[in-house]
């Protein structure tokens, strides 16, 4: 009897899972997606200036490199097009179930019973959750948010019907999104006001376009394309990834580069002071841009560092009493990076709910599985190393590990597999201890931190991640006969 898989989420990780199942000869699976199309974050985010902050040559499946990226850091629409093209190439269309949000998954009689929002159901043997991390927009808790009479929307829900040319635009937030939007709009609007709560460290990465000759070279020489992939992968591993987990020399290089960028590219001393962070570089996700500082010095752009008191019909009033009049208000306030599978109700063995298991903190065994939830796996789950490396490669490594566990069931060695409580506890104790030596706990506020102040990231090296995910230690798992 064949085993059926459910993949939840049609973004990068979901598409990856579908391809790898097909390559193993598994055809009995469905990809459930709550939205109307594939792509995940690249489908949802369409704001002006959107691009990836990971080089394009490494932000791709290792088995499906792309030779003709337009830029070193390519725009969001191009990345979305890449995933659409890959899904088409591997003939995944018949497996997608769009507008089909899974609201409940219950383990009963050795199988997972799925309930879809529209009333449909499915029964499967394996669930692989590829729901992503940054897909629940976080809205600011500011008095009067509903009183604003102009257009107001979250950056991840950009309203392209709203005209921007010649208008007064306000942006709340200074993360990667806002820092991409500002240069994109600075020359279009009559005035752009950036409301900053926290200044950011900005690394001056240029974003050159690839020439037609370079594209042709990568197209005709897969070896050169692979070399570019390997180069950018190694650069992340050998520099930034080491800095955030305690390599002080690498961290100092990053801080020096950011500080030099600020000092050399912001002329006004007062503006430079207000753009200077008061925490260590990389404590928050590091910003990469060579266009943000020039944009902030244009006559149409204003930086506001006074706290926001409330939002009124005509704009944003800050705590100094000034009303900043606006026509459009953009909430570039990020996402709830700790929601994971929520609001889906997941019920495992003996009626155990994932919501209860995660009542105090999101904890998993090596980010991919939870005790008491057999044949239920996650890609980019709690404490995945998403702050250090390309998330595409992370998903590939995790999926290879998960499929080794699934093989135990597919090969008849057991009926179900789940991590042991003790192994999961041991892993998370070691993880929390290791996090004490990382840059993320040095005092800044960031979306990395959960409600307990613990970063939901991987605190060790990339080499250790690869080693630990190379093959499962079966002593850490319950194998149901």
């Amino acid at each position: 009897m064949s085993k059926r898989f459910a993949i939840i989420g049609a973004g990068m990780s979901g598409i990856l899972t579908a391809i790898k199942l097909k390559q193993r000869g598994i055809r009995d699976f469905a990809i459930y997606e709550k939205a109307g199309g594939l792509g995940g974050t690249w489908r949802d985010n369409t704001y002006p200036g959107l691009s990836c902050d990971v080089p394009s040559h490494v932000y791709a499946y290792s088995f499906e490199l792309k030779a003709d990226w337009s830029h070193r850091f390519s725009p969001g629409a191009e990345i979305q097009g890449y995933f659409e093209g890959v899904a088409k190439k591997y003939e995944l269309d018949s497996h997608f179930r769009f507008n089909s949000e899974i609201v409940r998954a219950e383990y009963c009689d050795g199988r997972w019973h799925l309930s879809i929002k529209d009333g449909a159901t499915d029964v499967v043997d394996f669930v692989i959750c590829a729901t992503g991390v940054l897909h629940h927009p976080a809205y600011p808790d500011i008095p009067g948010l509903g009183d604003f009479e102009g257009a107001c929307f979250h950056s991840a829900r950009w309203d392209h019907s709203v005209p921007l040319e010649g208008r007064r635009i306000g942006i709340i937030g200074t993360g990667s999104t806002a820092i991409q939007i500002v240069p994109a709009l600075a020359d279009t609007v009559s005035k752009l006001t950036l409301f900053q709560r926290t200044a950011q460290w900005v690394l001056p990465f240029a974003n050159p376009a690839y020439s037609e000759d370079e594209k042709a070279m990568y197209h005709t020489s897969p070896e050169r394309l692979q070399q570019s992939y390997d180069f950018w992968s190694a650069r992340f591993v050998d520099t930034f990834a080491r800095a955030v987990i305690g390599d002080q020399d690498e961290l100092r290089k990053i801080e020096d580069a950011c500080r030099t960028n600020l000092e050399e590219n912001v002329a006004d001393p007062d503006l430079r002071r207000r753009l200077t962070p008061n925490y260590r570089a990389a404590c928050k996700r590091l910003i990469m841009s060579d266009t943000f500082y020039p944009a902030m010095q244009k006559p149409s752009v204003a930086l506001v560092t006074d706290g926001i008191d409330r939002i009124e019909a005509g704009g944003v009033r800050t705590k100094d009493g000034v009303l900043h009049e606006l026509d459009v208000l953009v909430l570039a306030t990020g996402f709830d990076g700790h929601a994971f599978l929520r609001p889906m109700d997941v019920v495992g063995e003996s009626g155990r709910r994932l919501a209860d298991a995660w009542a105090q903190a999101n904890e998993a065994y090596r980010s991919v599985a939870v005790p008491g939830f057999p044949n239920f796996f996650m890609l980019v789950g709690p404490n995945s190393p998403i702050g250090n490396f390309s998330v595409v490669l992370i998903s590939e490594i995790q999926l290879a590990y998960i499929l080794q566990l699934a093989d135990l069931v597919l090969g008849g060695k057991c009926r179900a597999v789940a991590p042991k409580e003790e192994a999961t506890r041991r892993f998370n104790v070691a993880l929390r201890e290791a996090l004490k030596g990382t840059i993320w706990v040095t005092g800044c506020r960031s979306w990395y931190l959960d409600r307990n102040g613990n970063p939901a990231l991987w605190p060790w090296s990339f080499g250790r991640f690869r080693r630990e995910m190379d093959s499962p230690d079966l002593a850490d798992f319950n194998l149901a006969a």
Side-chain angles (χ1 to χ4, degrees):
M1 178 179 170
S2 67
K3 301 295 184 182
R4 180 166 173 78
F5 287 72
I7 302 167
I8 304 179
M12 176 276 294
S13 295
I15 294 169
L16 167 69
T17 303
I19 292 170
K20 291 303 180 181
L21 289 180
K22 286 193 71 173
Q23 288 179 338
R24 297 161 72 90
I26 298 170
R27 298 290 190 273
D28 191 6
F29 66 88
I31 311 166
Y32 287 100
E33 169 57 51
K34 65 183 178 181
L38 62 83
T41 190
W42 303 107
R43 174 201 63 227
D44 292 346
N45 287 271
T46 59
Y47 59 80
L50 170 65
S51 66
C52 187
D53 60 1
V54 173
S56 299
H57 279 179
V58 76
Y59 195 83
Y61 300 127
S62 63
F63 56 88
E64 198 62 54
L65 300 183
K66 176 177 165 66
D68 60 347
W69 290 110
S70 65
H71 290 76
R72 178 180 293 167
F73 301 93
S74 293
E78 192 174 345
I79 299 170
Q80 172 69 5
Y82 167 78
F83 289 118
E84 290 173 346
V86 170
K88 183 176 181 179
K89 175 179 178 179
Y90 287 89
E91 300 179 341
L92 301 183
D93 283 358
S94 64
H95 295 279
F96 288 116
R97 304 290 184 269
F98 295 125
N99 299 307
S100 298
E101 181 179 357
I102 302 294
V103 295
R104 181 180 173 87
E106 182 174 9
Y107 189 71
C108 181
D109 298 326
R111 303 188 80 194
W112 284 96
H113 295 249
L114 308 181
S115 300
I116 297 98
K117 194 171 186 177
D118 64 5
T121 60
D122 196 358
V123 180
V124 302
D125 300 281
F126 295 92
V127 175
I128 299 181
C129 289
T131 51
V133 180
L134 305 181
H135 62 105
H136 290 292
Y139 289 86
D141 184 16
I142 301 174
L145 184 58
D147 296 336
F148 183 61
E149 292 183 349
C152 179
F153 46 82
H154 194 280
S155 56
R157 302 291 184 266
W158 196 275
D159 187 346
H160 291 276
S161 70
V162 176
L164 303 177
E165 187 172 355
R167 306 187 80 191
R168 299 166 300 178
I169 313 298
I171 301 174
I172 297 177
T174 50
S176 297
T177 296
I179 284 173
Q180 291 181 346
I181 294 173
V182 170
L185 296 186
D187 294 327
T188 300
V189 303
S190 66
K191 185 174 184 180
L192 190 154
T193 304
L194 180 65
F195 297 92
Q196 173 184 282
R197 183 175 65 183
T198 308
Q200 295 279 3
W201 290 102
V202 181
L203 200 61
F205 255 79
N207 188 21
Y210 286 112
S211 68
E212 292 305 314
D213 287 345
E214 287 174 309
K215 295 176 189 177
M217 174 194 69
Y218 288 127
H219 182 73
T220 57
S221 175
E223 295 82 8
R224 294 293 294 272
L225 184 58
Q226 184 66 48
Q227 287 171 5
S228 181
Y229 177 89
D230 294 341
F231 168 80
W232 287 112
S233 295
R235 186 163 184 181
F236 268 69
V237 169
D238 294 336
T239 57
F240 180 70
R242 287 167 48 188
V244 294
I245 60 171
D247 188 322
Q248 295 301 311
D249 288 339
E250 287 298 331
L251 183 59
R252 196 172 300 110
K253 291 176 185 177
I254 290 172
E255 288 185 332
D256 288 346
C258 291
R259 193 173 291 109
T260 298
N261 182 35
L262 177 62
E263 292 173 351
E264 292 184 351
N265 292 295
V266 179
D268 180 70
D270 180 62
L271 179 60
R272 189 166 61 240
R273 176 186 60 78
R274 292 187 292 144
L275 287 171
T276 301
N278 61 359
Y279 55 89
R280 302 290 304 277
C283 184
K284 295 173 178 285
R285 186 173 180 88
L286 197 63
I287 303 297
M288 299 183 186
S289 174
D290 65 347
T291 59
F292 175 66
Y293 287 153
M296 289 303 300
Q297 297 169 88
K298 293 187 175 183
S300 60
V301 179
L303 178 69
V304 174
T305 55
D306 289 292
I308 295 175
D309 181 60
R310 63 188 181 275
I311 295 173
E312 301 178 4
V316 174
R317 190 174 296 277
T318 45
K319 292 182 178 178
D320 59 359
V322 175
L323 175 64
H324 303 270
E325 296 182 337
L326 303 171
D327 302 307
V328 180
L329 180 60
V330 177
L331 308 175
T333 45
F335 302 85
D336 179 355
H338 308 280
F340 287 103
L341 312 182
R342 301 172 180 91
M344 181 171 56
D345 185 21
V346 182
V347 184
E349 289 180 310
S350 304
R352 185 185 189 189
R353 278 183 156 76
L354 187 62
D356 295 331
W358 283 358
Q360 299 304 315
N362 300 328
E363 292 187 347
Y365 176 84
R366 281 170 169 70
S367 305
V368 301
V370 181
F373 297 84
N375 297 348
F376 185 94
F377 305 106
M378 297 171 290
L379 291 169
V380 198
N383 295 101
S384 291
I386 56 174
N388 312 36
F389 321 109
S390 166
V391 71
V392 182
L393 181 58
I394 300 311
S395 280
E396 289 190 23
I397 293 170
Q398 290 178 334
L399 181 61
Y401 181 93
I402 288 168
L403 292 179
Q404 290 181 66
L405 293 170
D407 280 342
L408 299 173
V409 179
L410 297 172
K413 294 183 179 179
C414 63
R415 177 177 51 82
V417 57
K420 294 178 179 177
E421 291 275 5
E422 170 55 27
T424 303
R425 187 197 66 80
R426 187 171 64 247
F427 171 77
N428 280 278
V429 167
L431 184 144
R432 285 192 294 271
E433 185 62 29
L435 282 167
K436 296 176 182 178
T438 66
I439 191 64
W440 306 305
V441 296
T442 56
C444 71
R445 294 176 59 184
S446 77
W447 68 264
Y448 291 154
L449 304 180
D450 66 14
R451 65 182 125 177
N452 303 312
N454 297 316
L457 297 171
W458 180 266
W460 299 295
S461 69
F462 183 72
R464 176 165 174 169
F465 177 70
R466 270 202 180 278
R467 290 191 301 273
E468 293 203 1
M469 302 305 290
D470 182 58
S471 61
D473 181 354
L474 297 187
D476 286 351
F477 289 87
N478 288 316
L479 307 179

